[in-house]
Every structure is written in C-alpha cells, then in structure tokens.
Amino acid sequence: MAIAKYKQKVNNTNMIKTAMRGKHTLLKNEVQCYIFNAQSVLLYKSGKGFSLVSGEIKNGESPQQAAARLIYEKSGLVANSLQLEGEALVIQSGPLEDIQHRIFVISCSDFSGKAGPGTAWINRDNVKEHVDKCALLILPLVLAGKKFRAKFVIDSSCEMLNYKLDEL
C-alpha cells in the first residue's frame, strides 16, 4: 500500500505529512558554528545559559553564508575563513510531530573584530559544561579538523536516545 505524502515549503522548512500516521515531520536546515582560538571556544548567551552560535539557514543562503551572518549577528566577529567540517542529522520525535534538523557544522578559527557583549570565550576543557551532548561528541573532531557525518535521535525533552558518529 502506498503512503500518501506531500511537501509544502514553509519559511525554508519542508513539512511532510504521512497520511497513514497522521503525524507531521518538519525538516529544518541549520548551521552550528564552532568559533575557536588556541585555548578557547566562543559561546554566546542564549536562554538560560551559553551555547554555540547556531541558527536556521535562510532561503537562498549557503551554509557558509548563513554561518558568516550568524557569527556576525550573534558575536560581532567577522569570519575570514569558514570550513564545513561535517553534517549532523538530529531527529527529535514527539507525539504529534517529528522534527529533523539537518545541521551543517562549520568551524571558524580565522576571524577579525572583538567579540561583543553576551559572548564568552570558554576554555576548551570547560566547554562540556555549556553545550549539549550532541555538540560535546562533535567538538573533539571539529577541533582536530576531522570531517564527519552524524545522526542523533533525541526524545521530545531533548534526551539522547542513540547516535551514530562516523569520521570520514
């Protein structure tokens, strides 16, 4: 039996409805930026604490363009060089909808300017206290300049259920 699906473009987010399940899947294209120097990683104030610079890719933007925009908007730094380090698919399953985040992981160690208010340079050894489990698993690869592909499955409360992380 064929499963009826349809796609609808909504603000750079594809929504797929699977008729048999009556459940929606939102697909979001995002970037996550690892901005670092020899000793520290730059985090910005977000909600209750600090996090990596990240956000959605706007229509017509490449992942690198989105990263440069977000780095400037959230930190005040100008990215002189950006590297695509890998891709992560984060699947968050909920009772009414699933959200799939396709995250392009970008590193930036060549930048100019001074980090603005609401940012903090965190020693590499202390970053684990501030980032989520997915970012914590990816961080050593990014800092070592290793390429990767990852898939993380999390529940609706953002607890990790399982993951696969492959170095390329």
Side-chain angles (χ1 to χ4, degrees):
M1 173 192 260
I3 297 175
K5 292 184 178 182
Y6 65 89
K7 291 183 179 182
Q8 177 184 5
K9 190 83 170 175
V10 181
N11 295 335
N12 199 37
T13 302
N14 293 320
M15 184 184 297
I16 301 171
K17 181 178 180 184
T18 305
M20 286 182 68
R21 293 187 312 165
K23 196 172 184 180
H24 290 81
T25 299
L26 300 175
L27 303 174
K28 296 183 176 187
N29 289 318
E30 302 172 12
V31 293
Q32 187 172 59
C33 306
Y34 291 73
I35 307 159
F36 59 93
N37 59 28
Q39 298 87 20
S40 305
V41 176
L42 184 73
L43 302 179
Y44 81 100
K45 186 89 169 134
S46 170
K48 297 177 184 175
F50 285 91
S51 67
L52 294 162
V53 170
S54 59
E56 288 194 33
I57 299 172
K58 291 182 178 179
N59 285 329
E61 278 185 324
S62 70
Q64 290 85 351
Q65 289 169 327
R69 173 182 54 80
L70 288 162
I71 289 169
Y72 182 74
E73 288 175 359
K74 294 183 179 188
S75 75
L77 296 174
V78 175
N80 297 326
S81 179
L82 297 168
Q83 298 294 321
L84 177 61
E85 301 296 349
E87 222 176 281
L89 179 64
V90 179
I91 301 169
Q92 183 176 17
S93 187
L96 300 177
E97 67 183 12
D98 292 339
I99 302 172
Q100 293 188 3
H101 303 268
R102 181 179 177 203
I103 301 172
F104 296 91
V105 176
I106 308 283
S107 69
C108 178
S109 60
D110 181 12
F111 48 84
S112 55
K114 185 178 179 195
T119 63
W121 287 101
I122 306 295
N123 183 285
R124 290 180 181 200
D125 296 332
N126 299 329
V127 169
K128 62 183 173 222
E129 300 167 17
H130 302 281
V131 298
D132 62 49
K133 291 179 185 176
C134 299
L136 190 57
L137 290 166
I138 292 170
L139 182 64
L141 295 173
V142 172
L143 294 176
K146 296 180 179 178
K147 306 295 184 205
F148 69 91
R149 185 171 307 261
K151 179 179 178 181
F152 300 97
V153 179
I154 60 177
D155 65 17
S156 58
S157 63
C158 296
E159 287 297 317
M160 189 180 308
L161 302 175
N162 62 54
Y163 72 94
K164 182 177 182 187
L165 181 59
D166 296 317
E167 194 175 317
L168 303 178

